[in-house]
Amino acid sequence: AADDCERMREAGECAALPVVMARKCPGDCDEDLLNSTLRGRWLVENALPRNDADALMQYALDAVTWGDGYKDRSTKPFSPAEHFGGVTPTSAVRWALRQPEAQSAAAINWARAYIKAAAQLKEKVEDLFDLG
């Protein structure tokens, strides 16, 4: 099993299949580290100002599309305790436009804030990895 784990790690499966690797080869893929080149994972503190992040959370659960966004619509792909979903700029706008008139202004403002935050985060990622 150790040889299989080493082969899988060298083949790049820590980044390609992090959940599979964590189950098959616990401790072999930097699961305990916040930043991991092996897993392609980095943590950035204060990526958004706290008040912006708090404002985005106000409607996030209402605007979310549950599932992986592709063909597998499972909302609990890893364990019963997890819920998987996401919001894209397009889905944020679509959600906002579906809201009742009494809530539409707040929903549209939320979608605008979401799109602004997505652009800010994209810029931070580009700066972090010298992509710009």
Side-chain angles (χ1 to χ4, degrees):
D3 289 338
D4 283 344
C5 290
E6 186 175 336
R7 179 189 52 76
M8 292 167 72
R9 181 180 168 152
E10 288 174 5
E13 293 188 23
C14 288
L17 301 168
V19 175
V20 170
M21 288 297 290
R23 288 182 179 152
K24 277 187 143 176
C25 308
D28 282 2
C29 291
D30 297 345
E31 302 90 289
D32 59 329
L33 301 179
L34 293 175
N35 298 319
S36 171
T37 303
L38 197 56
R39 292 177 65 124
R41 178 180 65 200
W42 290 264
L43 174 71
V44 177
E45 294 285 348
N46 301 312
L48 287 176
R50 178 65 185 227
N51 59 331
D52 291 354
D54 288 344
L56 289 175
M57 290 304 298
Q58 180 179 359
Y59 292 112
L61 290 178
D62 295 331
V64 72
T65 300
W66 294 106
D68 68 4
Y70 298 98
K71 292 180 182 177
D72 181 10
R73 298 286 181 204
S74 173
T75 63
K76 299 180 180 189
F78 305 121
S79 79
E82 296 175 286
H83 296 276
F84 192 80
V87 179
T88 66
T90 301
S91 70
V93 171
R94 287 183 180 145
W95 170 82
L97 294 175
R98 287 193 312 265
Q99 299 313 298
E101 188 175 339
Q103 296 150 347
S104 68
I108 290 169
N109 286 337
W110 180 87
R112 285 185 178 130
Y114 179 83
I115 291 167
K116 179 182 172 191
Q120 290 172 334
L121 293 171
K122 178 182 180 282
E123 186 176 313
K124 287 188 184 241
V125 168
E126 288 173 345
D127 289 347
L128 181 65
F129 296 105
D130 291 324
L131 301 174

